[in-house]
Amino acid sequence: MKVALLSFAHVHAATYIRLLRDRSDIELIVTDPDADPGDPTRGKALADELGVTYRAGYDEALAERPRAVIVTSENARHRTLVELAAAAGAHILCEKPLATTENDARAMIDACERADVNLMTAYPVRFHPAFAALRHALSSGALGPLLSVHGTNNSSPPALERPWFADPAFAGGGAIMDHTLHIADLLDVLLEGEQPTHVHAVANSLLTYGTDGTEVESAGLLTLTYPRGLVATIDCSWSHPATHPTWGGLTLTCVGERALAEFDAFPPLLTGYDTTQATTRWEPAAIDLDAAMLESFLTAARTGQRAHPDGETGLRTLKTALAAYASLHTGQPATITAT
């Protein structure tokens, strides 16, 4: 099956390429025409380093009629590339957030529906086996009705590797746009698509700044209120220093009437102290969530089955982040209208 990856702008692009390039069932082509020609971390230079077939532009790559396309551009460019890929008849996996505006997200969903192709949003954490166990504990009644959920998604600032993450024109925001959405997706799964009615957000920009002097938030805390009375919080901060033993982490604490359950997406398999480097060592448990997500996407592309999480999921979760920005603007809780 022919797969095209469009743009190397996102930090996950190289990861996806490495996972796909050596598969005997995949013919991979890539393109990154928006890259600075002198940037060795993008464009043809990166493609040659990774040993994959490179095309000069998006039109050239899509002219080869790939059955599946992975969009890993800057957030604000997702709509253009998704619409191009849909017009070419390809099933699409789009990096999160699905878009930076609700209008763009809806247009992407509509374009894929018209073309009768899948639009999948890149939420790999929902494929974690421990999350599946948490979901089963909730659905079986072992936890009882949920009363509250506390989620954290923290990392080092991605703008250190890709400066556009701190440019609101390309990213749509800062840490809130970057790190709210994985937790919002897990909540979407646990609550079977129920959306919060109100979002209240606080944030600061003490940890990082935009490349052009424009500040974006680097730390945020969201409080979500649901129709059933459930209250959830999301800590969505770029708070890990360069010396932290891992790039990022994600956790959920679910409080039910009968029990409390905790989920850690990246638990340490082994911790210790490395005397040769005078640093803390953290060996993570070996679960490749990106590989699991890609396998689900490729299976859907081959069979024509509905891919999950789909574009509607991407839109619902995006609305939580957009409501957070509305709350920051007014200082009051923002209302979400159900999709």
Side-chain angles (χ1 to χ4, degrees):
M1 182 169 68
K2 184 171 290 186
V3 178
L5 185 139
L6 308 184
S7 179
F8 301 163
H10 200 280
V11 294
H12 290 159
T15 299
Y16 298 152
I17 291 172
R18 292 186 179 98
L19 288 169
L20 294 171
R21 66 182 175 185
D22 298 325
R23 290 183 53 150
S24 60
D25 60 335
I26 297 297
E27 179 187 349
L28 180 65
I29 57 175
V30 302
T31 185
D32 188 28
D34 299 314
D36 183 340
D39 185 351
T41 68
R42 291 188 58 180
K44 192 172 186 304
L46 179 60
D48 290 345
E49 178 186 334
L50 296 175
V52 291
T53 302
Y54 187 80
R55 295 292 180 256
Y58 301 126
D59 290 340
E60 290 85 346
L62 293 173
E64 298 192 28
R65 309 300 294 182
R67 184 165 181 82
V69 162
I70 301 172
V71 173
T72 42
S73 65
E74 300 90 343
N75 300 339
R77 288 176 167 157
H78 286 177
R79 175 179 175 176
T80 297
L81 297 185
V82 166
E83 289 179 335
L84 286 173
H91 299 287
I92 302 158
L93 172 65
C94 183
E95 254 304 336
K96 63 85 186 168
L98 188 61
T100 58
T101 69
E102 186 175 340
N103 286 341
D104 280 357
R106 175 50 63 190
M108 294 159 66
I109 293 168
D110 291 345
C112 291
E113 289 181 349
R114 287 193 301 269
D116 194 25
V117 297
N118 276 320
L119 174 59
M120 181 174 174
T121 309
Y123 287 139
V125 183
R126 64 158 58 194
F127 295 95
H128 201 301
F131 180 70
L134 171 63
R135 186 180 182 185
H136 176 72
L138 179 62
S139 63
S140 69
L143 298 183
L146 277 181
L147 302 176
S148 68
V149 180
H150 174 59
T152 68
N153 189 190
N154 307 139
S155 76
S156 301
L160 296 176
E161 185 174 346
R162 291 287 191 260
W164 67 263
F165 275 94
D167 183 341
F170 281 119
I176 287 176
M177 184 63 81
D178 187 36
H179 276 332
T180 292
L181 300 175
H182 283 302
I183 300 295
D185 177 57
L186 300 184
L187 289 168
D188 194 73
V189 174
L190 294 176
L191 302 178
E192 299 180 339
E194 181 181 335
Q195 291 185 263
T197 56
H198 296 85
V199 178
H200 183 257
V202 293
N204 66 53
S205 55
L206 299 177
L207 301 178
T208 189
Y209 294 88
T211 55
D212 61 353
T214 303
E215 287 188 358
V216 294
E217 77 286 351
S218 53
L221 181 63
L222 279 57
T223 302
L224 285 58
T225 305
Y226 288 83
R228 67 179 70 185
L230 174 85
V231 175
T233 62
I234 302 176
D235 174 350
C236 48
S237 303
W238 292 336
S239 54
H240 284 190
T243 54
H244 196 276
T246 63
W247 179 82
L250 185 149
T251 66
L252 279 182
T253 301
C254 298
V255 180
E257 285 188 355
R258 297 180 182 175
L260 180 148
E262 295 182 327
F263 164 66
D264 188 342
F266 306 102
L269 183 65
L270 175 68
T271 59
Y273 190 77
D274 188 336
T275 57
T276 62
Q277 301 182 29
T279 59
T280 300
R281 289 289 299 275
W282 179 322
E283 297 298 333
I287 298 173
D288 196 329
L289 301 178
D290 289 327
M293 177 185 68
L294 285 175
E295 186 60 38
S296 178
F297 169 62
L298 295 173
T299 298
R302 283 194 184 95
T303 63
Q305 296 175 343
R306 182 85 172 184
H308 294 285
D310 60 12
E312 294 289 352
T313 304
L315 174 56
R316 287 195 301 271
T317 49
L318 172 63
K319 289 173 71 172
T320 296
L322 295 177
Y325 286 111
S327 174
L328 288 180
H329 180 70
T330 65
Q332 300 296 319
T335 301
I336 293 182
T337 304
T339 301

